[in-house]
Amino acid sequence: MPRPLDARALAALAANPGCRRRALLDGAGVDKGALAEALGSPSAAFGQSQFAIARGNTFESRVKSDGGTELLRLLHEHTGGEAPKDAAVPDLAAAGPEGRAARTALALREATAAGGWTLLDHPMLALEVAGSPAYLEPDAVVVAPDGRWTVVEIKSFPMIDAAADPSKVGAAARQAAVYVLALERVAGLLGDTPGPADRVAHSVLLVCPKDFSNLPTASLVDVRKQLSVTRRQLARLTRIEEIADALAPGASFALDRPAPELTETVESVPAAYAPECLAACELAFHCRDRARAVDAVTALGRGLRAELGGLGGLGGLGGLGGLTSVGAVLDAARGRAGDPSDPAVAALRRAAALRAEALEGAAAGGAVCR
Ligand code: SF4
């Protein structure tokens, strides 16, 4: 049975927009963890331990206790406007995700019309992805008296001196951007004014434990960049047929197929491995082994990949044309390969010459000191 897409999977897609392999597998609903095992690689384990999940749940309950008084105070502290009081917390229970999504849409409409503060605790949002609905459940959505809808993400990693681990904030922002996108769809269906982009706030409230305590603190995180990346990725997902067209006729990801056949099919879809995959994709160990086996420059990280792509002027993966392996890049830099009229090769040689000059200077300086 195909695996439904959730916010984490959609956010991970946005984190690695160049990976056609992940786009195809997620679009087809393939269980990548099981696929990794079938390929003979361990499934990359990520996510939280049971202890961390329990601690996170306790913190979330604390933040939302007393009708969400503290949560609304934190939001008001960052956004201003009318002071929160007597917030409504509608019951969003309904049968199945479809029913819960419909109930949430109704609650959003009623809350907006009522004009007060409303806290939607674990609403359900539907977002059409590659032709089928994905159901997403943010921690909370707050409707303010001015009709603005704000996504709230509650995380258990600490905010120390008002700053949290940037990689964790980045992951939370990508996830929240998916919720904002789904909320804009609901706002679009309401068909009222202002339009969806003005109705839904593009800054989300990130709530975390303050320093090393259990007290909540918050900051507003601007997710406009993540929103546009996610939009672009989802638009690409709808063209998954194009990626699938490149597969050999009869190719299949059925897990009971012999490992060599399955490997061949997986390898026929281009990937964009980067070390960041280890924290976001179950196929990371498999893709890392393959990237290392061909000495791929991409395995050295996205920063380097972007810089090399920038040199080649083609942006990102494969931007250096034939210079996709570390060995080929070094040969080009040392003048052993590559066309000197290629701007990428010229830039690499310039960099190598500057490095040699700097090393010579350092050696000469050392001789004088002695
Ligand atoms: S681990 Fe492989 S399939 Fe997953 S995102 Fe990275 S390159 Fe793509």
Side-chain angles (χ1 to χ4, degrees):
M1 182 167 168
R3 236 184 170 195
L5 281 165
D6 58 16
R8 195 174 62 83
L10 291 172
L13 268 178
N16 193 0
C19 186
R20 293 164 79 89
R21 185 176 296 166
R22 176 160 195 154
L24 180 67
L25 293 172
D26 279 350
V30 175
D31 180 342
K32 296 192 297 303
L35 179 62
E37 307 271 339
L39 290 169
S41 303
S43 166
F46 45 82
Q48 294 179 306
S49 67
Q50 286 305 316
F51 173 71
I53 291 171
R55 198 165 47 111
N57 288 343
T58 308
F59 179 66
E60 183 176 334
S61 312
R62 181 179 183 145
V63 172
K64 291 179 178 168
S65 63
D66 193 19
T69 308
E70 181 60 9
L71 195 160
L72 295 175
R73 187 194 67 74
L74 288 168
L75 180 62
H76 179 253
E77 190 178 288
H78 286 85
T79 56
E82 203 178 300
K85 59 170 196 256
D86 303 329
V89 185
D91 179 7
L92 301 177
E98 216 174 323
R100 287 182 60 200
R103 179 72 196 89
T104 296
L106 182 66
L108 282 166
R109 180 193 290 268
E110 288 172 350
T112 308
W117 287 93
T118 301
L119 169 66
L120 273 68
D121 186 4
H122 282 286
M124 183 65 82
L125 306 168
L127 184 68
E128 194 175 297
V129 179
S132 53
Y135 290 100
L136 315 165
E137 192 175 342
D139 291 330
V141 170
V142 174
V143 180
D146 63 2
R148 292 275 278 177
W149 303 353
T150 303
V151 169
V152 178
E153 268 298 283
I154 302 172
K155 298 292 184 192
S156 56
F157 55 80
M159 227 179 250
I160 299 164
D161 292 335
D165 180 337
S167 66
K168 290 182 177 165
V169 174
R174 285 192 293 274
Q175 196 176 330
V178 176
Y179 299 137
V180 170
L181 208 55
L183 264 184
E184 284 191 350
R185 182 191 155 274
V186 180
L189 293 178
L190 292 186
D192 65 352
T193 50
D198 295 316
R199 170 75 66 208
V200 185
H202 287 176
S203 289
V204 303
L205 188 75
L206 177 65
V207 184
C208 296
K210 185 174 177 355
D211 301 326
F212 297 104
S213 73
N214 208 17
L215 296 172
T217 186
S219 78
L220 270 189
V221 180
D222 184 342
V223 297
R224 279 175 299 179
K225 195 166 136 235
Q226 292 82 356
L227 201 52
S228 63
V229 174
T230 309
R231 256 198 208 104
R232 217 172 36 241
Q233 267 306 86
L234 294 189
R236 284 190 52 197
L237 265 187
T238 56
R239 297 200 308 272
I240 262 173
E241 299 79 13
E242 285 173 28
I243 306 176
D245 280 350
L247 289 173
S252 151
F253 293 107
L255 302 178
D256 54 359
R257 295 178 64 226
E261 256 180 57
L262 204 49
T263 305
E264 197 182 323
T265 309
V266 170
E267 289 309 307
S268 68
V269 188
Y273 175 77
E276 292 86 346
C277 291
L278 289 167
C281 183
E282 294 88 342
L283 277 182
F285 290 134
H286 172 82
C287 295
R288 184 179 65 176
D289 287 351
R290 298 283 149 170
R292 283 180 176 172
V294 295
D295 203 16
V297 280
T298 55
L300 298 178
R302 293 220 179 98
L304 187 76
R305 182 169 93 188
E307 280 180 24
L308 289 175
L311 282 175
L314 298 175
L317 186 68
L320 281 174
L323 304 180
T324 51
S325 73
V326 175
V329 169
L330 291 177
D331 281 349
R334 289 168 183 156
R336 292 201 290 249
D339 176 0
S341 64
D342 180 335
V345 174
L348 284 167
R349 289 189 185 168
R350 217 169 26 251
L354 285 171
R355 180 175 180 274
E357 214 175 282
L359 289 175
E360 266 173 35
V368 169
C369 287
R370 275 198 300 272

